[in-house]
Amino acid sequence: MVDVNNLEFGIETFGDIVANEDGSLKSAAESIRQIVHEGEIADQYGLDIIGVGEHHRPDYSVSSPETVLAAIASVTKHIKLATAVTVLSSDDPVRVYERFATLDGLSNGRAQVMLGRGSFTESFPLFGYDLINYDDLFNEKLDLYDQLRTEKPVTWSGKFRASLKNQEVYPKTEHGELETYIGIGGSPESIIRAARHGYKVILAIIGGQADRFKPYIDLYHKAAKQLNMPEYPIAVHSHGFIADNEDEAIEVAFKNIKANFDRIGLTRGWAPMSREQFDSETKGGSFYVGNPETVARRIARTIDLLGLGRFDLVYGAGNQTAAQREKMIELYATKVIPRVKEILRTKEVANNDN
């Protein structure tokens, strides 16, 4: 059963370049400053988390999310500061831990790391890694990160990085450990690995019905029990767009999300997104698009179906304007989230009455 009182709601941006009102695009620098402003807005509206993605390509503005999160930390008080995701496979686990421990100190304990393999691969050649080692890189570096998060001296050796012998890593966090999630696209091996190491899980559901992830969630809980590891509430992130008017929301989302997915698809062999495909995703799939009531009902269903403890809405996909992005954050915080909680509580009352 969903614990409505402890549900967390976040927003995430992959750092898409922001559009001007005339359709021209802002610079990467302007887009980064806009994200910082949006973090400030999200904090003022009481959202629980803001996540910022890492990419190394021209259609996204952020390659160093922890730097942007540090800027957000300086203008916020309560909101948690997460990555979405940090590509651990092409990074150095020691530097990852040090950077986020620093962010944690700056933000008074609000840093949150989301580790992933990376659905984009540009960082691998950029930092001198061969994609043939895609799986091995992540497994080895996660093993090192797992030791680092104890904040005790580390002795470790591997294939892709220099060995460590009784090495301290600084700074230490005030609370003794960084809150860490593993971002998972949906493989049994990844779910079991997260359970084995005692990590929280966030599922990237970016297409298709959310129902298909129920077996993975069941597997996580089963594995955690068998391994005598903690069972954490599952988180999900998915794309969406909200506007006061249903038709406006659908048209803005179709224009921008289609352009975004089609651009990515050019390098991955995807067919261009059809209107039929988009409509299917907004009605029963994993695009949460529409007016506040429509989006609230669909999010509530997903949370209830999967028994979630956290839902993050990925906003700003494509080249939306600053006004569209900011309005969506406002509607999500002030109308969608309260309505989601109301729907879930009503269901609980109905169940209790039966």
Side-chain angles (χ1 to χ4, degrees):
M1 180 176 290
V2 173
D3 182 357
V4 179
N5 293 328
N6 290 311
L7 267 177
E8 290 189 303
F9 291 90
I11 55 170
E12 295 181 15
T13 175
F14 293 161
D16 304 72
I17 302 296
V18 181
N20 293 304
E21 295 294 338
D22 64 3
S24 64
L25 298 182
K26 294 184 182 295
S27 67
E30 290 174 307
S31 298
I32 290 169
R33 292 193 290 270
Q34 176 63 28
I35 292 171
V36 174
H37 180 56
E38 289 161 359
E40 185 176 16
I41 292 171
D43 187 57
Q44 291 169 351
Y45 281 122
L47 288 175
D48 297 306
I49 307 118
I50 181 167
V52 179
E54 173 195 341
H55 295 90
H56 303 269
R57 46 188 292 145
D59 42 349
Y60 295 104
S61 63
V62 180
S63 60
S64 178
E66 61 271 20
T67 305
V68 179
L69 293 169
I72 295 174
S74 71
V75 294
T76 59
K77 295 181 179 180
H78 305 291
I79 197 166
K80 292 182 181 179
L81 308 162
T83 46
V85 299
T86 290
V87 185
L88 184 66
S89 305
S90 58
D91 211 329
D92 178 16
V94 174
R95 293 296 289 136
V96 169
Y97 204 91
E98 288 180 336
R99 296 195 303 263
F100 281 91
T102 301
L103 174 63
D104 201 61
L106 284 170
S107 64
N108 194 25
R110 291 185 282 137
Q112 190 179 92
V113 190
M114 190 189 299
L115 301 174
R117 299 167 179 267
S119 60
F120 291 88
T121 58
E122 290 83 3
S123 63
F124 289 81
L126 181 63
F127 298 116
Y129 293 103
D130 193 326
L131 282 169
I132 198 171
N133 299 315
Y134 185 80
D135 289 326
D136 291 340
L137 280 164
F138 185 77
N139 292 335
E140 179 178 294
K141 294 189 176 190
L142 184 62
D143 179 64
L144 174 52
Y145 183 92
D146 200 43
Q147 291 194 44
L148 292 165
R149 67 182 181 140
T150 67
E151 301 198 349
K152 297 176 181 178
V154 174
T155 297
W156 177 92
S157 63
K159 177 181 177 182
F160 301 105
R161 190 200 186 281
S163 300
L164 299 173
K165 185 175 181 180
N166 202 36
Q167 181 69 55
E168 293 276 9
V169 175
Y170 302 100
K172 308 296 184 183
T173 63
E174 288 182 308
H175 304 291
E177 184 179 341
L178 285 171
E179 184 177 12
T180 304
Y181 280 79
I182 301 290
I184 294 174
S187 75
E189 296 80 10
S190 297
I191 286 285
I192 293 171
R193 182 192 300 111
R196 180 184 299 117
H197 289 281
Y199 285 104
K200 297 180 179 180
V201 168
I202 184 161
L203 296 169
I205 306 181
I206 59 173
Q209 295 184 343
D211 311 46
R212 64 193 175 94
F213 282 83
K214 187 68 166 63
Y216 297 107
I217 295 173
D218 293 341
L219 178 61
Y220 167 78
H221 290 298
K222 181 179 179 181
K225 282 188 174 73
Q226 290 181 347
L227 295 165
N228 197 30
M229 297 301 288
E231 295 179 63
Y232 296 107
I234 298 293
V236 157
H237 78 204
S238 295
H239 285 83
F241 182 74
I242 310 162
D244 285 313
N245 180 274
E246 182 90 2
D247 292 338
E248 176 191 351
I250 291 171
E251 292 311 311
V252 170
F254 178 65
K255 172 187 173 183
N256 287 284
I257 293 177
K258 171 180 168 56
N260 188 47
F261 274 66
D262 287 355
R263 184 170 59 246
I264 296 168
L266 289 174
T267 62
R268 301 191 181 184
W270 300 346
M273 179 182 289
S274 67
R275 183 58 187 256
E276 181 181 22
Q277 180 186 358
F278 174 81
D279 289 343
S280 175
E281 288 290 353
T282 59
K283 291 175 182 176
S286 296
F287 293 167
Y288 295 83
V289 173
N291 63 35
E293 179 66 18
T294 296
V295 174
R297 287 188 174 279
R298 297 205 58 241
I299 291 176
R301 180 189 180 278
T302 296
I303 291 172
D304 182 57
L305 175 72
L306 300 181
L308 302 179
R310 167 178 166 183
F311 186 93
D312 286 5
L313 196 61
V314 180
Y315 76 102
N319 303 123
Q320 298 173 24
T321 66
Q324 289 168 338
R325 293 161 62 109
E326 291 175 21
K327 183 65 174 178
M328 177 180 153
I329 294 170
E330 176 193 343
L331 292 174
Y332 180 56
T334 63
K335 293 188 177 182
V336 172
I337 292 172
R339 181 65 177 129
V340 169
K341 292 179 178 180
E342 180 183 33
I343 292 168
L344 293 171
R345 286 196 178 100
T346 301
K347 181 179 184 301
E348 286 181 359
V349 170
N351 287 342
N352 289 336
D353 287 342
N354 289 336

